[in-house]
Amino acid sequence: MTVSRRTVLGALGAGLATLSGCTEAIRADLGSREVSESTGPLAPPSTVQPAGSSKGWSGLRDALEGRLVLPADSGYAAAKRAFNPQFDTRKPAAIAQVASASDVQRCVEHARSADVPVAARCGGHSYPGYSTPARGLIIDLGRLRHVTVRDDGTAVIGAGARLGDVYAALAARGRCLPAGSCPTVGISGLTLGGGIGVLSRQYGLTCDQLVSARVVTADGTYRSVSDQRHADLFWALRGGGGGNFGVVTHFTFHTVAAPRVTIFSLRFPPGSTPAVLGAWQEWVRSASNQLWSNLVVTSGSPPSCRVGGTFVGGAGPLQTLLDRLVRAAGATPSTRVVGEKSYLEAMRYFAGTATRERFFGTSRIMQRPLADPAQLVDPVDGQPGVVLIVDALGGKVAAHQPSDTAFPHRSALATVQIYTQTHADTARAVRDELGAVLGGHGYVNYLDRTMPSWGKAYYGRNLPRLRTVGQRYDPDGVFDFAQNVSRA
Ligand SMILES: Cc1cc2nc3c(=O)[nH]c(=O)nc-3n(C[C@H](O)[C@H](O)[C@H](O)COP(=O)(O)OP(=O)(O)OC[C@H]3O[C@@H](n4cnc5c(N)ncnc54)[C@H](O)[C@@H]3O)c2cc1C
């Protein structure tokens, strides 16, 4: 079954378009957006056996507590809609809006016995659209979005929650989880690929806060995984990428007291970008973990740049740090915005408009400062419509070894996202030019269907171990897709 299933799914996937991308590119330039707190029930622990095999969709529909949406049903177009409109033309066979963990078991059992492609969906932001499988079953976790904060500061978060849900619910209890900026991004995809955000240097990646998870694996079993139970699977869930090993229904995270932060944004004049990058890379490397920053380069003739970020602390010490950056860059910013905020206010500031958008995104990893910063800027000089988002790593991200979790880029200086809404071919060419300068790695949450040597690029030396976990928990390829670790 393994070979035939993978072969069939590969053929289906080969025709799919590859464009996708990220509004994160412009997040610090955008205004705020409110996201309401979710109130759905927490799914009960599984006491239900996996449903028996059912060849037709009506059998699955009858078995579900939630709703099964088929192409002929009203609401099908809305139910299958992902973040990137690029994937609106894809036609999944069914969308299961699951209401419980046992619903997830029934879906996995059905997909396995009926031999249809299946993928979980949380926020629907997968760059190559892997949560929208053509002619397959989407397990939409959106109803499992409840956030429960316990007295010990851990939080149980339903795997369908989006970051806006998470931030609002945690803030109501004075807590926060270091995670990404876009409120509609799903907690699932973000965590399973690592999770980079404005508190990464202070507290680590989102996956570093994970205490345990509840997962339905390919055999339909509902497992509780942690350092003590199924430790191999728990390791793989922390950076091994969404969709590979099973369907997570709930995450339990450590949370931290929500800090007050100071946000900042400095826009530099065109022409100064290599000098600013040269100063920024040393500045961010030597700064305390309280500082997180990104540098966004916009292509053009010449390219321009902006430095933004967050400081865990007050405006006074941050202004001193910013003065140091400006002096080292030798360029005067045309705008300099600094403001103290609660953590929730800061996340709403960074949230942007979060409207759906067509994009293509890919990435490289910057291991260390460049001796010649122009090497990063030159590939977008004179190019149209491409943005480079250089997000700092370091700090607590580097407190772990590359093999401690599946996220391998622990000692790197930054991720470099290459993002476009209009010029995918140019972005791919920039990716390849930067690969020659920075090396061949990339960040799995900016998954690119056309990434050269993608297995090694996304997982480095963790790839063989991830393949072993994949084989162990999904030997028949039930969760197969074009970039499943078993194919790398
Ligand atoms: C606008 C935007 C902003 C972003 N900002 C950031 C950021 O600040 N930091 C960062 O690190 N990344 C960021 N990303 C990247 C983001 O982390 C990835 O795209 C992530 O995969 C999205 O997760 P999702 O749940 O929204 O997507 P989905 O498409 O729902 O899922 C992504 C993948 O995970 C699988 N999956 C989903 N749920 C589950 C589950 N419960 N169990 C197992 N597999 C599952 C899906 O099948 C799919 O393969 C951003 C992306 C976008 C588009």
Side-chain angles (χ1 to χ4, degrees):
M1 181 176 175
T2 310
V3 172
S4 64
R5 184 179 173 92
R6 290 211 164 97
T7 308
V8 169
L9 299 188
L12 287 177
L16 302 178
T18 56
L19 295 187
S20 53
C22 175
T23 44
E24 181 199 23
I26 46 174
R27 61 190 175 195
D29 294 332
L30 300 175
S32 66
R33 178 175 184 271
E34 301 293 321
V35 178
S36 60
E37 188 173 342
S38 70
T39 52
L42 186 67
S46 170
T47 50
V48 181
Q49 295 303 309
S53 109
S54 161
K55 292 289 174 192
W57 293 113
S58 59
L60 180 63
R61 175 175 265 168
D62 292 345
L64 291 183
E65 207 182 313
R67 179 171 177 233
L68 188 74
V69 184
L70 299 173
D73 293 334
S74 67
Y76 171 78
K80 75 183 179 70
R81 197 173 289 147
F83 178 75
N84 191 335
Q86 167 111 24
F87 307 117
D88 286 356
T89 51
R90 272 193 208 168
K91 293 192 171 60
I95 303 103
Q97 296 169 335
V98 294
S100 62
S102 44
D103 272 3
V104 175
Q105 289 178 288
R106 290 181 180 117
C107 288
V108 170
E109 176 70 15
H110 180 87
R112 194 182 64 208
S113 58
D115 204 13
V116 293
V118 60
R121 176 186 288 177
C122 176
H125 287 62
S126 165
Y127 280 31
Y130 289 138
S131 56
T132 313
R135 283 164 275 173
L137 171 63
I138 298 176
I139 302 178
D140 181 349
L141 297 152
R143 294 192 190 183
L144 305 184
R145 61 196 305 169
H146 194 66
V147 178
T148 305
V149 184
R150 295 164 165 165
D151 289 343
D152 66 0
T154 57
V156 180
I157 299 180
R162 297 177 180 229
L163 298 186
D165 304 327
V166 174
Y167 290 139
L170 294 184
R173 297 286 304 273
R175 311 295 295 177
C176 77
L177 178 70
S181 305
C182 176
T184 56
V185 164
I187 190 67
S188 287
L190 181 102
T191 303
L192 297 172
I196 296 167
V198 302
L199 295 181
S200 292
R201 285 171 51 82
Q202 176 82 357
Y203 297 115
L205 301 172
T206 313
C207 72
D208 296 338
Q209 311 301 317
L210 194 62
V211 179
S212 63
R214 284 183 265 163
V215 188
V216 176
T217 46
D219 59 359
T221 306
Y222 192 36
R223 301 171 196 268
S224 187
V225 307
S226 67
D227 261 336
Q228 279 77 45
R229 302 177 72 183
H230 307 292
D232 54 349
L233 181 54
F234 185 59
W235 174 85
L237 293 181
R238 288 171 293 159
N244 281 306
F245 310 105
V247 181
V248 178
T249 65
H250 296 86
F251 299 92
T252 301
F253 291 101
H254 283 296
T255 64
V256 295
R260 274 198 75 75
V261 297
T262 307
I263 55 101
F264 61 95
S265 178
L266 278 64
R267 193 173 292 282
F268 287 90
S272 62
T273 304
V276 175
L277 175 62
W280 180 87
Q281 59 184 3
E282 298 297 346
W283 178 72
V284 83
R285 186 165 70 149
S286 60
S288 78
N289 294 355
Q290 293 161 279
L291 179 78
W292 180 87
S293 175
N294 69 3
L295 183 145
V296 180
V297 179
T298 304
S299 67
S301 304
S304 57
C305 78
R306 175 184 62 71
V307 171
T310 303
F311 181 74
V312 182
L318 174 67
Q319 294 283 16
T320 308
L321 275 173
L322 294 177
D323 289 344
R324 194 177 303 159
L325 171 70
V326 169
R327 264 198 312 277
T332 307
S334 51
T335 59
R336 176 167 167 158
V337 176
V338 173
E340 293 187 15
K341 294 186 184 299
S342 72
Y343 184 65
L344 185 60
E345 287 167 347
M347 295 321 289
R348 286 178 173 162
Y349 170 83
F350 286 124
T353 59
T355 48
R356 298 177 78 219
E357 77 186 20
R358 185 175 285 261
F359 65 83
F360 171 78
T362 183
S363 63
R364 288 299 183 193
I365 302 292
M366 190 173 176
Q367 303 293 347
R368 60 192 70 82
L370 289 169
D372 178 7
Q375 286 184 299
L376 191 132
V377 183
D378 285 349
V380 294
D381 198 341
Q383 298 291 349
V386 175
V387 174
L388 303 179
I389 307 138
V390 188
D391 280 346
L393 295 175
K396 280 284 169 59
V397 178
H400 298 264
Q401 295 300 310
S403 60
D404 285 353
T405 71
F407 180 88
H409 314 298
R410 294 290 178 175
S411 59
L413 177 72
T415 56
V416 180
Q417 183 172 185
I418 304 141
Y419 168 86
T420 183
Q421 294 182 354
T422 46
H423 290 77
D425 285 344
T426 307
R428 275 189 279 269
V430 171
R431 172 199 68 199
D432 293 341
E433 275 192 67
L434 288 180
V437 175
L438 303 175
H441 292 110
Y443 176 34
V444 72
N445 269 351
Y446 305 149
L447 200 54
D448 169 2
R449 180 73 190 274
T450 60
M451 183 78 154
S453 306
W454 58 266
K456 274 193 166 170
Y458 295 128
Y459 304 117
R461 291 191 183 156
N462 289 335
L463 178 59
R465 196 168 158 192
L466 283 165
R467 281 204 205 103
T468 303
V469 177
Q471 275 300 318
R472 177 158 187 208
Y473 290 93
D474 187 10
D476 296 329
V478 171
F479 297 114
D480 190 29
F481 62 100
Q483 287 178 298
N484 183 292
V485 289
S486 299
R487 286 173 173 265

